[in-house]
Every structure is written in C-alpha cells, then in structure tokens.
Amino acid sequence: MTKILVLYYSSYGHIETMANAVAEGAREVEGAKVTVKRVSELVPEEVAKKNGFKLDQTALVAEPKELADYDAVIFGTPTRFGAMAAQMKQFLDQTGGLWAAGKLIGKVGSVFTSSATQHGGQESTILNFHTTLLHHGMVIVGLPYSFEGQMTLEEITGGSPYGASTIAGGDGSRQPSALELDGARFQGRHVAGIARKLAG
C-alpha cells in the first residue's frame, strides 16, 4: 500500500477543486491509498465571511506530524504575490521536528497552485515551495511534458512542468477548466506511480 496525502489550503474553492482532481488521479494507481486534508484557516471567521471565503470545506484539518505517515505529499496552495499562502507556510513552519529527525527524507513531494491571472506567479509559487521540500530531503516531482495539455495554444490555461495550476480570474469567478483538471489528475497519477516505485 502506497500512502498519498493531498494537503491543501483554499480560500475560495479553486484549490479545493484541484485537490480533489489530484486525488482522483492518484487513486487510479494500483495500491494507492489517498487521503485529502487541508491546513487550518488563519483568517478570523467574521473576516472570512465578509470576504466570501468558502467555509463549507469538508476535508479534515491535518496536523504537521502526520506528514511522516505518508510516502508522498502533494501540496496545493493559492499564489500570494508569487509565493505560497500564509496558511500553508504557517503549517510548514511547524515541521521543524520532522526536519530534525529526518522524517521526510526520501518521500515524494509535489505542488499545485492557482492564481488570479495567467501571469500571476504560478511558477514562482511552486518553485518557492520546492525550497521547503528540498530542506526536508524530499524527492520533487512535477508535471512532465508527457501531459501534452500544457503545450496547447488553443486556450488560456494553467499548468507548467513545475506542477498543475488553474487561473481563478480577478474576481474569482473562473473555475478550473477541464484541461486544468486533467493536468491535476495526471500529476496525482504521476506522483502516486513514482511513490509506489520508491516505496517498493
């Protein structure tokens, strides 16, 4: 059994949708046991409600120590000025004990993201996230060009060799496209397949 965690933070539901697609793809790999969890919200509830945050997310909240229980962790975060959201950073900042004990060394790490605009920092967010994974000794897996959807010129779309992504639009009204969800599923399958090989 290969244990995969899809761990995300989502303010408005875009990353939540992508996380579920990543999990769908990972579950297609034989022997993969996939869990979807989220990190805690840091914004006060009254502020979150006023700003239209999606507060009905059903995924359980993860604890940092749980990361050691999985063969692979696929992280999802929206872009905040070209870097991960503070909620995800705060979660990762609590993993010092795992780092000191080398608990994540050799495990697979992967990242997907969203941004408001096509050039809103998707690639830099994932690359910045990779730094944390490298400090933990994780094996980084992206979204290879064997997912041919990222080569399209027929539509505006997220996705890069660094990881799957979606574009939310300035007002958040755009939802992940079919192609972006395909990329998320591909990344989930790809990560689960590599994790299975490494765990074996």
Side-chain angles (χ1 to χ4, degrees), residues 76-100:
T77 178
T79 296
R80 296 290 186 263
F81 303 106
M84 73 179 80
Q87 290 84 347
M88 182 62 74
K89 184 66 166 64
Q90 190 262 359
F91 180 92
L92 291 170
D93 282 348
Q94 298 176 71
T95 61
L98 296 178
W99 171 83

Side-chain angles (χ1 to χ4, degrees), residues 22 56 92 117 158 187 196:
V22 168
D56 61 350
L92 291 170
T117 61
Q187 186 170 346
R196 180 185 178 191

Side-chain angles (χ1 to χ4, degrees), residues 75 92 109-111 129-140:
F75 299 89
L92 291 170
S110 191
V111 186
F129 206 123
H130 286 170
T131 304
T132 301
L133 304 187
L134 288 167
H135 275 263
H136 273 294
M138 300 183 83
V139 178
I140 293 174

Side-chain angles (χ1 to χ4, degrees), residues 38-103:
R38 60 191 173 94
V39 303
S40 296
E41 181 59 79
L42 302 178
V43 175
E45 186 174 355
E46 62 273 16
V47 177
K49 286 180 178 177
K50 182 179 179 182
N51 288 280
F53 280 30
K54 189 174 187 293
L55 299 176
D56 61 350
Q57 298 174 51
T58 58
L60 296 176
V61 173
E63 295 292 333
K65 64 182 180 181
E66 291 181 54
L67 298 187
D69 298 335
Y70 296 90
D71 299 301
V73 184
I74 310 172
F75 299 89
T77 178
T79 296
R80 296 290 186 263
F81 303 106
M84 73 179 80
Q87 290 84 347
M88 182 62 74
K89 184 66 166 64
Q90 190 262 359
F91 180 92
L92 291 170
D93 282 348
Q94 298 176 71
T95 61
L98 296 178
W99 171 83
K103 293 291 188 179

Side-chain angles (χ1 to χ4, degrees), residues 129-198:
F129 206 123
H130 286 170
T131 304
T132 301
L133 304 187
L134 288 167
H135 275 263
H136 273 294
M138 300 183 83
V139 178
I140 293 174
V141 174
L143 181 66
Y145 281 113
S146 50
F147 174 64
E148 296 179 0
Q150 66 179 298
M151 301 288 285
T152 186
L153 296 176
E154 301 303 313
E155 63 182 88
I156 294 174
T157 186
S160 73
Y162 312 114
S165 59
T166 186
I167 303 163
D171 62 357
S173 62
R174 182 184 184 273
Q175 295 303 308
S177 69
L179 183 59
E180 290 166 341
L181 292 172
D182 283 347
R185 292 186 194 97
F186 189 106
Q187 186 170 346
R189 282 193 303 273
H190 185 56
V191 170
I194 290 175
R196 180 185 178 191
K197 292 176 182 177
L198 292 176

